[in-house]
């Protein structure tokens, strides 16, 4: 996907739900014997603005962030992508660890929202 931070991470999280719905339609039509998905996928942006660690940065926060990190995670907790940038000066490894913890908390909330969206669409929830 060609986008930055929040836009790209929202597209990944929403795109996973859209993929499940599309594949389930194909399965119901007999084009697939089973859904080929193995894990859920979700993504979030986070960063350091001032002295605060923030989740899901708004544009103004992203533009002023000292550190900007995007995280893509699988449903089993493994990392798919971590992309981080020190916008002004280098940052400590401990800051990255804290941002990864914050991102994981947000991504777990996104997984719950994905499950709710699939349930609302009356589709089976494909979860490892």
């Amino acid at each position: 996907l060609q986008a930055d931070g929040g836009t790209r991470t929202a597209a990944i999280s929403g795109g996973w739900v859209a993929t499940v719905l599309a594949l389930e339609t194909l399965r119901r039509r007999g084009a697939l014997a089973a859904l080929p998905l193995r894990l859920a996928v979700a993504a979030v942006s986070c960063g350091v603005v001032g002295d605060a660690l923030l989740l899901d940065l708004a544009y103004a926060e992203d533009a002023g962030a000292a550190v900007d990190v995007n995280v893509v995670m699988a449903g089993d907790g493994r990392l798919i992508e971590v992309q981080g940038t020190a916008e002004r000066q280098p940052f400590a490894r401990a800051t990255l660890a804290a941002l990864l913890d914050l991102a994981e908390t947000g991504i777990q909330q996104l997984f719950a929202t994905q499950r709710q969206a699939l349930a609302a669409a009356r589709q089976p929830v494909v979860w490892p």
Side-chain angles (χ1 to χ4, degrees), residues 10-24 37 41 110-111 113-119 121 123 127:
I12 289 168
S13 299
W16 188 84
V17 172
T19 299
V20 171
L21 295 173
L23 290 172
E24 177 57 19
L37 300 174
V41 175
L110 287 169
F111 287 144
T113 301
Q114 288 174 328
R115 286 191 293 270
Q116 291 169 355
L118 290 170
Q123 299 293 324
W127 229 255

Side-chain angles (χ1 to χ4, degrees), residues 47-126:
V48 179
V49 180
D51 292 330
L53 275 64
L54 301 179
L55 183 65
D56 192 24
L57 301 176
Y59 177 78
E61 294 165 336
D62 190 303
V67 179
D68 181 16
V69 177
N70 301 307
V71 179
V72 184
M73 186 176 283
D76 64 0
R78 290 182 294 161
L79 296 167
I80 296 170
E81 178 185 2
V82 176
Q83 181 271 319
T85 304
E87 300 291 348
R88 291 174 177 66
Q89 61 187 17
F91 59 96
R93 181 182 288 224
T95 301
L96 178 60
L99 286 168
L100 288 173
D101 289 344
L102 180 62
E104 183 173 16
T105 297
I107 288 172
Q108 291 303 323
Q109 293 171 359
L110 287 169
F111 287 144
T113 301
Q114 288 174 328
R115 286 191 293 270
Q116 291 169 355
L118 290 170
R122 294 189 158 93
Q123 299 293 324
V125 176
V126 177

